[in-house]
Amino acid sequence: MFDNIAGKTSIKLALYSAHDTSVMPLLSAFSIWDDIWVGYAKTVIFELYRSVSSGNYFVRVMYGGRAHKMIGCSDVLCSWEDFDSLVALFDEDERIDTSVPKVEVLNQREEL
């Protein structure tokens, strides 16, 4: 998105894949995680919009098929400036809590 706004790329779609243990901290960082373990094949979508009238950019995040308001944003369409300020916090000594519950994986194989 940063490169698109700066005019360095014309990419319209980028796809990434991640495990549940990576998706949950991402959702938590934006304060949209619902404390329910992320299910198989869940999708998180970040959309970049540009206002035709003002030329301003906005970001919307979709999870579970619906738009979510991110922390620090006044609406589900977050101004680019607010989004950029939020993302900048991620580089500052983990100031945003992205922790998720720790779980113990148990071996569920039955003895034969």
PDB file of all heavy atoms in Angstrom, residues 49-86:
ATOM      1  N   TYR A  49      -8.415   2.476  -0.504  1.00  0.00           N
ATOM      2  CA  TYR A  49      -9.359   3.278  -1.270  1.00  0.00           C
ATOM      3  C   TYR A  49      -8.797   4.677  -1.479  1.00  0.00           C
ATOM      4  O   TYR A  49      -8.064   5.184  -0.644  1.00  0.00           O
ATOM      5  CB  TYR A  49     -10.700   3.417  -0.526  1.00  0.00           C
ATOM      6  CG  TYR A  49     -11.486   2.136  -0.433  1.00  0.00           C
ATOM      7  CD1 TYR A  49     -11.298   1.270   0.642  1.00  0.00           C
ATOM      8  CD2 TYR A  49     -12.413   1.803  -1.400  1.00  0.00           C
ATOM      9  CE1 TYR A  49     -12.018   0.094   0.730  1.00  0.00           C
ATOM     10  CE2 TYR A  49     -13.137   0.633  -1.314  1.00  0.00           C
ATOM     11  CZ  TYR A  49     -12.938  -0.220  -0.247  1.00  0.00           C
ATOM     12  OH  TYR A  49     -13.649  -1.384  -0.151  1.00  0.00           O
ATOM     13  N   ARG A  50      -9.212   5.292  -2.585  1.00  0.00           N
ATOM     14  CA  ARG A  50      -8.850   6.689  -2.856  1.00  0.00           C
ATOM     15  C   ARG A  50     -10.118   7.460  -3.171  1.00  0.00           C
ATOM     16  O   ARG A  50     -10.897   7.060  -4.044  1.00  0.00           O
ATOM     17  CB  ARG A  50      -7.877   6.780  -4.022  1.00  0.00           C
ATOM     18  CG  ARG A  50      -7.410   8.197  -4.276  1.00  0.00           C
ATOM     19  CD  ARG A  50      -6.292   8.210  -5.303  1.00  0.00           C
ATOM     20  NE  ARG A  50      -5.882   9.573  -5.539  1.00  0.00           N
ATOM     21  CZ  ARG A  50      -5.856  10.140  -6.735  1.00  0.00           C
ATOM     22  NH1 ARG A  50      -6.170   9.448  -7.808  1.00  0.00           N
ATOM     23  NH2 ARG A  50      -5.466  11.386  -6.857  1.00  0.00           N
ATOM     24  N   SER A  51     -10.321   8.543  -2.464  1.00  0.00           N
ATOM     25  CA  SER A  51     -11.490   9.388  -2.690  1.00  0.00           C
ATOM     26  C   SER A  51     -11.351  10.103  -4.028  1.00  0.00           C
ATOM     27  O   SER A  51     -10.327  10.734  -4.298  1.00  0.00           O
ATOM     28  CB  SER A  51     -11.630  10.408  -1.568  1.00  0.00           C
ATOM     29  OG  SER A  51     -12.608  11.370  -1.890  1.00  0.00           O
ATOM     30  N   VAL A  52     -12.377  10.000  -4.858  1.00  0.00           N
ATOM     31  CA  VAL A  52     -12.369  10.660  -6.163  1.00  0.00           C
ATOM     32  C   VAL A  52     -12.396  12.177  -5.978  1.00  0.00           C
ATOM     33  O   VAL A  52     -11.716  12.917  -6.690  1.00  0.00           O
ATOM     34  CB  VAL A  52     -13.566  10.188  -7.020  1.00  0.00           C
ATOM     35  CG1 VAL A  52     -13.643  10.958  -8.325  1.00  0.00           C
ATOM     36  CG2 VAL A  52     -13.477   8.704  -7.280  1.00  0.00           C
ATOM     37  N   SER A  53     -13.172  12.657  -5.010  1.00  0.00           N
ATOM     38  CA  SER A  53     -13.328  14.100  -4.833  1.00  0.00           C
ATOM     39  C   SER A  53     -12.126  14.758  -4.163  1.00  0.00           C
ATOM     40  O   SER A  53     -11.679  15.817  -4.586  1.00  0.00           O
ATOM     41  CB  SER A  53     -14.598  14.405  -4.038  1.00  0.00           C
ATOM     42  OG  SER A  53     -14.543  13.778  -2.772  1.00  0.00           O
ATOM     43  N   SER A  54     -11.573  14.128  -3.124  1.00  0.00           N
ATOM     44  CA  SER A  54     -10.483  14.769  -2.367  1.00  0.00           C
ATOM     45  C   SER A  54      -9.096  14.235  -2.719  1.00  0.00           C
ATOM     46  O   SER A  54      -8.098  14.890  -2.461  1.00  0.00           O
ATOM     47  CB  SER A  54     -10.706  14.604  -0.863  1.00  0.00           C
ATOM     48  OG  SER A  54     -10.534  13.242  -0.491  1.00  0.00           O
ATOM     49  N   GLY A  55      -9.043  13.031  -3.270  1.00  0.00           N
ATOM     50  CA  GLY A  55      -7.751  12.404  -3.542  1.00  0.00           C
ATOM     51  C   GLY A  55      -7.127  11.752  -2.317  1.00  0.00           C
ATOM     52  O   GLY A  55      -6.055  11.172  -2.406  1.00  0.00           O
ATOM     53  N   ASN A  56      -7.799  11.841  -1.153  1.00  0.00           N
ATOM     54  CA  ASN A  56      -7.290  11.226   0.079  1.00  0.00           C
ATOM     55  C   ASN A  56      -7.433   9.708   0.029  1.00  0.00           C
ATOM     56  O   ASN A  56      -8.365   9.186  -0.592  1.00  0.00           O
ATOM     57  CB  ASN A  56      -8.040  11.776   1.300  1.00  0.00           C
ATOM     58  CG  ASN A  56      -7.770  13.239   1.530  1.00  0.00           C
ATOM     59  OD1 ASN A  56      -6.727  13.766   1.144  1.00  0.00           O
ATOM     60  ND2 ASN A  56      -8.716  13.926   2.134  1.00  0.00           N
ATOM     61  N   TYR A  57      -6.528   9.024   0.730  1.00  0.00           N
ATOM     62  CA  TYR A  57      -6.552   7.571   0.794  1.00  0.00           C
ATOM     63  C   TYR A  57      -7.150   7.099   2.111  1.00  0.00           C
ATOM     64  O   TYR A  57      -7.032   7.759   3.148  1.00  0.00           O
ATOM     65  CB  TYR A  57      -5.134   7.008   0.649  1.00  0.00           C
ATOM     66  CG  TYR A  57      -4.587   7.121  -0.748  1.00  0.00           C
ATOM     67  CD1 TYR A  57      -3.828   8.230  -1.124  1.00  0.00           C
ATOM     68  CD2 TYR A  57      -4.823   6.134  -1.685  1.00  0.00           C
ATOM     69  CE1 TYR A  57      -3.329   8.335  -2.406  1.00  0.00           C
ATOM     70  CE2 TYR A  57      -4.327   6.226  -2.971  1.00  0.00           C
ATOM     71  CZ  TYR A  57      -3.576   7.337  -3.327  1.00  0.00           C
ATOM     72  OH  TYR A  57      -3.085   7.437  -4.601  1.00  0.00           O
ATOM     73  N   PHE A  58      -7.778   5.914   2.041  1.00  0.00           N
ATOM     74  CA  PHE A  58      -8.380   5.280   3.207  1.00  0.00           C
ATOM     75  C   PHE A  58      -8.076   3.793   3.178  1.00  0.00           C
ATOM     76  O   PHE A  58      -7.866   3.221   2.109  1.00  0.00           O
ATOM     77  CB  PHE A  58      -9.906   5.487   3.210  1.00  0.00           C
ATOM     78  CG  PHE A  58     -10.308   6.929   3.274  1.00  0.00           C
ATOM     79  CD1 PHE A  58     -10.455   7.674   2.117  1.00  0.00           C
ATOM     80  CD2 PHE A  58     -10.516   7.540   4.491  1.00  0.00           C
ATOM     81  CE1 PHE A  58     -10.816   9.013   2.161  1.00  0.00           C
ATOM     82  CE2 PHE A  58     -10.878   8.872   4.560  1.00  0.00           C
ATOM     83  CZ  PHE A  58     -11.031   9.611   3.397  1.00  0.00           C
ATOM     84  N   VAL A  59      -8.074   3.157   4.354  1.00  0.00           N
ATOM     85  CA  VAL A  59      -7.833   1.719   4.473  1.00  0.00           C
ATOM     86  C   VAL A  59      -9.012   1.099   5.198  1.00  0.00           C
ATOM     87  O   VAL A  59      -9.525   1.658   6.175  1.00  0.00           O
ATOM     88  CB  VAL A  59      -6.529   1.430   5.249  1.00  0.00           C
ATOM     89  CG1 VAL A  59      -6.330  -0.067   5.431  1.00  0.00           C
ATOM     90  CG2 VAL A  59      -5.335   2.043   4.528  1.00  0.00           C
ATOM     91  N   ARG A  60      -9.450  -0.048   4.706  1.00  0.00           N
ATOM     92  CA  ARG A  60     -10.505  -0.818   5.378  1.00  0.00           C
ATOM     93  C   ARG A  60      -9.996  -2.232   5.581  1.00  0.00           C
ATOM     94  O   ARG A  60      -9.367  -2.798   4.681  1.00  0.00           O
ATOM     95  CB  ARG A  60     -11.778  -0.828   4.528  1.00  0.00           C
ATOM     96  CG  ARG A  60     -12.906  -1.622   5.179  1.00  0.00           C
ATOM     97  CD  ARG A  60     -14.196  -1.472   4.434  1.00  0.00           C
ATOM     98  NE  ARG A  60     -14.215  -2.349   3.274  1.00  0.00           N
ATOM     99  CZ  ARG A  60     -15.312  -2.658   2.589  1.00  0.00           C
ATOM    100  NH1 ARG A  60     -16.468  -2.136   2.912  1.00  0.00           N
ATOM    101  NH2 ARG A  60     -15.242  -3.464   1.545  1.00  0.00           N
ATOM    102  N   VAL A  61     -10.258  -2.799   6.755  1.00  0.00           N
ATOM    103  CA  VAL A  61      -9.870  -4.178   7.023  1.00  0.00           C
ATOM    104  C   VAL A  61     -11.134  -5.023   7.139  1.00  0.00           C
ATOM    105  O   VAL A  61     -12.111  -4.627   7.780  1.00  0.00           O
ATOM    106  CB  VAL A  61      -8.979  -4.306   8.282  1.00  0.00           C
ATOM    107  CG1 VAL A  61      -9.718  -3.897   9.528  1.00  0.00           C
ATOM    108  CG2 VAL A  61      -8.427  -5.711   8.428  1.00  0.00           C
ATOM    109  N   MET A  62     -11.096  -6.157   6.444  1.00  0.00           N
ATOM    110  CA  MET A  62     -12.207  -7.105   6.463  1.00  0.00           C
ATOM    111  C   MET A  62     -11.728  -8.393   7.134  1.00  0.00           C
ATOM    112  O   MET A  62     -10.626  -8.870   6.857  1.00  0.00           O
ATOM    113  CB  MET A  62     -12.661  -7.428   5.040  1.00  0.00           C
ATOM    114  CG  MET A  62     -13.103  -6.240   4.213  1.00  0.00           C
ATOM    115  SD  MET A  62     -14.727  -5.657   4.631  1.00  0.00           S
ATOM    116  CE  MET A  62     -15.729  -7.013   4.064  1.00  0.00           C
ATOM    117  N   TYR A  63     -12.559  -8.926   8.017  1.00  0.00           N
ATOM    118  CA  TYR A  63     -12.271 -10.212   8.651  1.00  0.00           C
ATOM    119  C   TYR A  63     -13.605 -10.895   8.930  1.00  0.00           C
ATOM    120  O   TYR A  63     -14.534 -10.262   9.427  1.00  0.00           O
ATOM    121  CB  TYR A  63     -11.486 -10.028   9.956  1.00  0.00           C
ATOM    122  CG  TYR A  63     -11.314 -11.312  10.724  1.00  0.00           C
ATOM    123  CD1 TYR A  63     -10.529 -12.338  10.223  1.00  0.00           C
ATOM    124  CD2 TYR A  63     -11.950 -11.519  11.936  1.00  0.00           C
ATOM    125  CE1 TYR A  63     -10.379 -13.526  10.906  1.00  0.00           C
ATOM    126  CE2 TYR A  63     -11.797 -12.694  12.634  1.00  0.00           C
ATOM    127  CZ  TYR A  63     -11.015 -13.701  12.112  1.00  0.00           C
ATOM    128  OH  TYR A  63     -10.878 -14.880  12.792  1.00  0.00           O
ATOM    129  N   GLY A  64     -13.676 -12.159   8.598  1.00  0.00           N
ATOM    130  CA  GLY A  64     -14.919 -12.886   8.810  1.00  0.00           C
ATOM    131  C   GLY A  64     -16.062 -12.362   7.963  1.00  0.00           C
ATOM    132  O   GLY A  64     -17.228 -12.454   8.354  1.00  0.00           O
ATOM    133  N   GLY A  65     -15.730 -11.772   6.817  1.00  0.00           N
ATOM    134  CA  GLY A  65     -16.745 -11.304   5.893  1.00  0.00           C
ATOM    135  C   GLY A  65     -17.355  -9.957   6.230  1.00  0.00           C
ATOM    136  O   GLY A  65     -18.324  -9.542   5.599  1.00  0.00           O
ATOM    137  N   ARG A  66     -16.789  -9.255   7.215  1.00  0.00           N
ATOM    138  CA  ARG A  66     -17.330  -7.934   7.532  1.00  0.00           C
ATOM    139  C   ARG A  66     -16.213  -6.946   7.853  1.00  0.00           C
ATOM    140  O   ARG A  66     -15.117  -7.332   8.238  1.00  0.00           O
ATOM    141  CB  ARG A  66     -18.342  -7.992   8.662  1.00  0.00           C
ATOM    142  CG  ARG A  66     -17.820  -8.465   9.966  1.00  0.00           C
ATOM    143  CD  ARG A  66     -18.981  -8.640  10.981  1.00  0.00           C
ATOM    144  NE  ARG A  66     -18.467  -9.005  12.276  1.00  0.00           N
ATOM    145  CZ  ARG A  66     -18.162  -8.154  13.240  1.00  0.00           C
ATOM    146  NH1 ARG A  66     -18.335  -6.860  13.056  1.00  0.00           N
ATOM    147  NH2 ARG A  66     -17.684  -8.567  14.384  1.00  0.00           N
ATOM    148  N   ALA A  67     -16.532  -5.671   7.676  1.00  0.00           N
ATOM    149  CA  ALA A  67     -15.556  -4.608   7.939  1.00  0.00           C
ATOM    150  C   ALA A  67     -15.441  -4.379   9.442  1.00  0.00           C
ATOM    151  O   ALA A  67     -16.422  -4.488  10.171  1.00  0.00           O
ATOM    152  CB  ALA A  67     -15.989  -3.321   7.245  1.00  0.00           C
ATOM    153  N   HIS A  68     -14.216  -4.072   9.887  1.00  0.00           N
ATOM    154  CA  HIS A  68     -13.956  -3.817  11.304  1.00  0.00           C
ATOM    155  C   HIS A  68     -13.270  -2.467  11.469  1.00  0.00           C
ATOM    156  O   HIS A  68     -12.400  -2.107  10.679  1.00  0.00           O
ATOM    157  CB  HIS A  68     -13.039  -4.901  11.889  1.00  0.00           C
ATOM    158  CG  HIS A  68     -13.689  -6.228  11.970  1.00  0.00           C
ATOM    159  ND1 HIS A  68     -14.342  -6.664  13.093  1.00  0.00           N
ATOM    160  CD2 HIS A  68     -13.804  -7.227  11.059  1.00  0.00           C
ATOM    161  CE1 HIS A  68     -14.816  -7.877  12.882  1.00  0.00           C
ATOM    162  NE2 HIS A  68     -14.508  -8.241  11.652  1.00  0.00           N
ATOM    163  N   LYS A  69     -13.646  -1.752  12.528  1.00  0.00           N
ATOM    164  CA  LYS A  69     -12.986  -0.492  12.854  1.00  0.00           C
ATOM    165  C   LYS A  69     -11.688  -0.808  13.593  1.00  0.00           C
ATOM    166  O   LYS A  69     -11.694  -1.528  14.589  1.00  0.00           O
ATOM    167  CB  LYS A  69     -13.896   0.371  13.722  1.00  0.00           C
ATOM    168  CG  LYS A  69     -13.352   1.760  13.948  1.00  0.00           C
ATOM    169  CD  LYS A  69     -14.321   2.593  14.747  1.00  0.00           C
ATOM    170  CE  LYS A  69     -13.806   2.617  16.158  1.00  0.00           C
ATOM    171  NZ  LYS A  69     -14.448   3.544  17.032  1.00  0.00           N
ATOM    172  N   MET A  70     -10.585  -0.279  13.096  1.00  0.00           N
ATOM    173  CA  MET A  70      -9.278  -0.491  13.728  1.00  0.00           C
ATOM    174  C   MET A  70      -9.070   0.519  14.841  1.00  0.00           C
ATOM    175  O   MET A  70      -9.641   1.616  14.825  1.00  0.00           O
ATOM    176  CB  MET A  70      -8.161  -0.346  12.686  1.00  0.00           C
ATOM    177  CG  MET A  70      -8.182  -1.416  11.619  1.00  0.00           C
ATOM    178  SD  MET A  70      -6.915  -1.147  10.355  1.00  0.00           S
ATOM    179  CE  MET A  70      -7.774   0.000   9.279  1.00  0.00           C
ATOM    180  N   ILE A  71      -8.238   0.145  15.801  1.00  0.00           N
ATOM    181  CA  ILE A  71      -7.903   1.036  16.904  1.00  0.00           C
ATOM    182  C   ILE A  71      -7.310   2.333  16.345  1.00  0.00           C
ATOM    183  O   ILE A  71      -6.532   2.305  15.398  1.00  0.00           O
ATOM    184  CB  ILE A  71      -6.918   0.350  17.882  1.00  0.00           C
ATOM    185  CG1 ILE A  71      -6.711   1.222  19.116  1.00  0.00           C
ATOM    186  CG2 ILE A  71      -5.607   0.024  17.210  1.00  0.00           C
ATOM    187  CD1 ILE A  71      -5.901   0.540  20.206  1.00  0.00           C
ATOM    188  N   GLY A  72      -7.716   3.459  16.907  1.00  0.00           N
ATOM    189  CA  GLY A  72      -7.191   4.750  16.461  1.00  0.00           C
ATOM    190  C   GLY A  72      -7.888   5.330  15.253  1.00  0.00           C
ATOM    191  O   GLY A  72      -7.535   6.410  14.789  1.00  0.00           O
ATOM    192  N   CYS A  73      -8.884   4.627  14.741  1.00  0.00           N
ATOM    193  CA  CYS A  73      -9.622   5.104  13.569  1.00  0.00           C
ATOM    194  C   CYS A  73     -11.040   5.461  13.988  1.00  0.00           C
ATOM    195  O   CYS A  73     -11.618   4.822  14.862  1.00  0.00           O
ATOM    196  CB  CYS A  73      -9.647   4.031  12.485  1.00  0.00           C
ATOM    197  SG  CYS A  73      -7.999   3.569  11.910  1.00  0.00           S
ATOM    198  N   SER A  74     -11.621   6.463  13.342  1.00  0.00           N
ATOM    199  CA  SER A  74     -12.955   6.910  13.724  1.00  0.00           C
ATOM    200  C   SER A  74     -14.072   6.116  13.048  1.00  0.00           C
ATOM    201  O   SER A  74     -15.224   6.204  13.464  1.00  0.00           O
ATOM    202  CB  SER A  74     -13.116   8.396  13.414  1.00  0.00           C
ATOM    203  OG  SER A  74     -12.910   8.629  12.036  1.00  0.00           O
ATOM    204  N   ASP A  75     -13.732   5.335  12.027  1.00  0.00           N
ATOM    205  CA  ASP A  75     -14.747   4.586  11.281  1.00  0.00           C
ATOM    206  C   ASP A  75     -14.079   3.362  10.664  1.00  0.00           C
ATOM    207  O   ASP A  75     -12.868   3.188  10.753  1.00  0.00           O
ATOM    208  CB  ASP A  75     -15.340   5.491  10.191  1.00  0.00           C
ATOM    209  CG  ASP A  75     -16.660   4.982   9.653  1.00  0.00           C
ATOM    210  OD1 ASP A  75     -17.131   3.920  10.101  1.00  0.00           O
ATOM    211  OD2 ASP A  75     -17.239   5.647   8.770  1.00  0.00           O
ATOM    212  N   VAL A  76     -14.873   2.516  10.005  1.00  0.00           N
ATOM    213  CA  VAL A  76     -14.288   1.348   9.339  1.00  0.00           C
ATOM    214  C   VAL A  76     -13.411   1.762   8.168  1.00  0.00           C
ATOM    215  O   VAL A  76     -12.488   1.040   7.809  1.00  0.00           O
ATOM    216  CB  VAL A  76     -15.353   0.317   8.891  1.00  0.00           C
ATOM    217  CG1 VAL A  76     -16.034  -0.302  10.090  1.00  0.00           C
ATOM    218  CG2 VAL A  76     -16.362   0.924   7.946  1.00  0.00           C
ATOM    219  N   LEU A  77     -13.695   2.905   7.565  1.00  0.00           N
ATOM    220  CA  LEU A  77     -12.783   3.476   6.575  1.00  0.00           C
ATOM    221  C   LEU A  77     -11.824   4.381   7.334  1.00  0.00           C
ATOM    222  O   LEU A  77     -12.182   5.458   7.777  1.00  0.00           O
ATOM    223  CB  LEU A  77     -13.537   4.289   5.516  1.00  0.00           C
ATOM    224  CG  LEU A  77     -14.068   3.521   4.324  1.00  0.00           C
ATOM    225  CD1 LEU A  77     -14.790   4.461   3.368  1.00  0.00           C
ATOM    226  CD2 LEU A  77     -12.981   2.764   3.599  1.00  0.00           C
ATOM    227  N   CYS A  78     -10.615   3.910   7.496  1.00  0.00           N
ATOM    228  CA  CYS A  78      -9.607   4.605   8.295  1.00  0.00           C
ATOM    229  C   CYS A  78      -8.785   5.508   7.379  1.00  0.00           C
ATOM    230  O   CYS A  78      -8.314   5.059   6.325  1.00  0.00           O
ATOM    231  CB  CYS A  78      -8.709   3.568   8.960  1.00  0.00           C
ATOM    232  SG  CYS A  78      -7.502   4.232  10.104  1.00  0.00           S
ATOM    233  N   SER A  79      -8.607   6.747   7.785  1.00  0.00           N
ATOM    234  CA  SER A  79      -7.792   7.643   6.954  1.00  0.00           C
ATOM    235  C   SER A  79      -6.378   7.084   6.847  1.00  0.00           C
ATOM    236  O   SER A  79      -5.891   6.417   7.760  1.00  0.00           O
ATOM    237  CB  SER A  79      -7.755   9.048   7.549  1.00  0.00           C
ATOM    238  OG  SER A  79      -6.950   9.072   8.714  1.00  0.00           O
ATOM    239  N   TRP A  80      -5.733   7.359   5.729  1.00  0.00           N
ATOM    240  CA  TRP A  80      -4.372   6.873   5.528  1.00  0.00           C
ATOM    241  C   TRP A  80      -3.446   7.383   6.622  1.00  0.00           C
ATOM    242  O   TRP A  80      -2.594   6.655   7.110  1.00  0.00           O
ATOM    243  CB  TRP A  80      -3.834   7.254   4.152  1.00  0.00           C
ATOM    244  CG  TRP A  80      -2.424   6.814   4.008  1.00  0.00           C
ATOM    245  CD1 TRP A  80      -1.308   7.584   4.051  1.00  0.00           C
ATOM    246  CD2 TRP A  80      -1.961   5.469   3.870  1.00  0.00           C
ATOM    247  NE1 TRP A  80      -0.176   6.812   3.935  1.00  0.00           N
ATOM    248  CE2 TRP A  80      -0.555   5.498   3.820  1.00  0.00           C
ATOM    249  CE3 TRP A  80      -2.605   4.239   3.779  1.00  0.00           C
ATOM    250  CZ2 TRP A  80       0.220   4.362   3.682  1.00  0.00           C
ATOM    251  CZ3 TRP A  80      -1.831   3.093   3.632  1.00  0.00           C
ATOM    252  CH2 TRP A  80      -0.439   3.166   3.585  1.00  0.00           C
ATOM    253  N   GLU A  81      -3.620   8.606   7.025  1.00  0.00           N
ATOM    254  CA  GLU A  81      -2.770   9.195   8.064  1.00  0.00           C
ATOM    255  C   GLU A  81      -2.909   8.428   9.382  1.00  0.00           C
ATOM    256  O   GLU A  81      -1.918   8.132  10.042  1.00  0.00           O
ATOM    257  CB  GLU A  81      -3.113  10.672   8.264  1.00  0.00           C
ATOM    258  CG  GLU A  81      -2.764  11.559   7.085  1.00  0.00           C
ATOM    259  CD  GLU A  81      -3.760  11.458   5.923  1.00  0.00           C
ATOM    260  OE1 GLU A  81      -4.886  10.934   6.101  1.00  0.00           O
ATOM    261  OE2 GLU A  81      -3.394  11.906   4.817  1.00  0.00           O
ATOM    262  N   ASP A  82      -4.152   8.104   9.770  1.00  0.00           N
ATOM    263  CA  ASP A  82      -4.374   7.339  11.008  1.00  0.00           C
ATOM    264  C   ASP A  82      -3.809   5.932  10.893  1.00  0.00           C
ATOM    265  O   ASP A  82      -3.191   5.410  11.819  1.00  0.00           O
ATOM    266  CB  ASP A  82      -5.864   7.280  11.359  1.00  0.00           C
ATOM    267  CG  ASP A  82      -6.409   8.612  11.821  1.00  0.00           C
ATOM    268  OD1 ASP A  82      -5.605   9.500  12.202  1.00  0.00           O
ATOM    269  OD2 ASP A  82      -7.644   8.785  11.805  1.00  0.00           O
ATOM    270  N   PHE A  83      -4.013   5.296   9.738  1.00  0.00           N
ATOM    271  CA  PHE A  83      -3.490   3.949   9.516  1.00  0.00           C
ATOM    272  C   PHE A  83      -1.960   3.955   9.555  1.00  0.00           C
ATOM    273  O   PHE A  83      -1.345   3.110  10.198  1.00  0.00           O
ATOM    274  CB  PHE A  83      -3.986   3.402   8.175  1.00  0.00           C
ATOM    275  CG  PHE A  83      -3.508   2.017   7.874  1.00  0.00           C
ATOM    276  CD1 PHE A  83      -4.074   0.915   8.484  1.00  0.00           C
ATOM    277  CD2 PHE A  83      -2.476   1.811   6.967  1.00  0.00           C
ATOM    278  CE1 PHE A  83      -3.622  -0.379   8.209  1.00  0.00           C
ATOM    279  CE2 PHE A  83      -2.021   0.535   6.677  1.00  0.00           C
ATOM    280  CZ  PHE A  83      -2.598  -0.564   7.301  1.00  0.00           C
ATOM    281  N   ASP A  84      -1.358   4.920   8.899  1.00  0.00           N
ATOM    282  CA  ASP A  84       0.101   5.030   8.868  1.00  0.00           C
ATOM    283  C   ASP A  84       0.658   5.237  10.285  1.00  0.00           C
ATOM    284  O   ASP A  84       1.661   4.636  10.653  1.00  0.00           O
ATOM    285  CB  ASP A  84       0.508   6.178   7.946  1.00  0.00           C
ATOM    286  CG  ASP A  84       1.999   6.254   7.714  1.00  0.00           C
ATOM    287  OD1 ASP A  84       2.657   5.192   7.630  1.00  0.00           O
ATOM    288  OD2 ASP A  84       2.523   7.371   7.629  1.00  0.00           O
ATOM    289  N   SER A  85      -0.014   6.055  11.079  1.00  0.00           N
ATOM    290  CA  SER A  85       0.417   6.276  12.474  1.00  0.00           C
ATOM    291  C   SER A  85       0.307   5.001  13.287  1.00  0.00           C
ATOM    292  O   SER A  85       1.173   4.706  14.117  1.00  0.00           O
ATOM    293  CB  SER A  85      -0.432   7.365  13.123  1.00  0.00           C
ATOM    294  OG  SER A  85      -0.239   8.589  12.489  1.00  0.00           O
ATOM    295  N   LEU A  86      -0.742   4.229  13.055  1.00  0.00           N
ATOM    296  CA  LEU A  86      -0.931   2.965  13.773  1.00  0.00           C
ATOM    297  C   LEU A  86       0.151   1.958  13.408  1.00  0.00           C
ATOM    298  O   LEU A  86       0.768   1.344  14.279  1.00  0.00           O
ATOM    299  CB  LEU A  86      -2.316   2.394  13.464  1.00  0.00           C
ATOM    300  CG  LEU A  86      -2.652   1.034  14.045  1.00  0.00           C
ATOM    301  CD1 LEU A  86      -2.581   1.060  15.572  1.00  0.00           C
ATOM    302  CD2 LEU A  86      -4.027   0.582  13.588  1.00  0.00           C
TER     303      LEU A  86
END
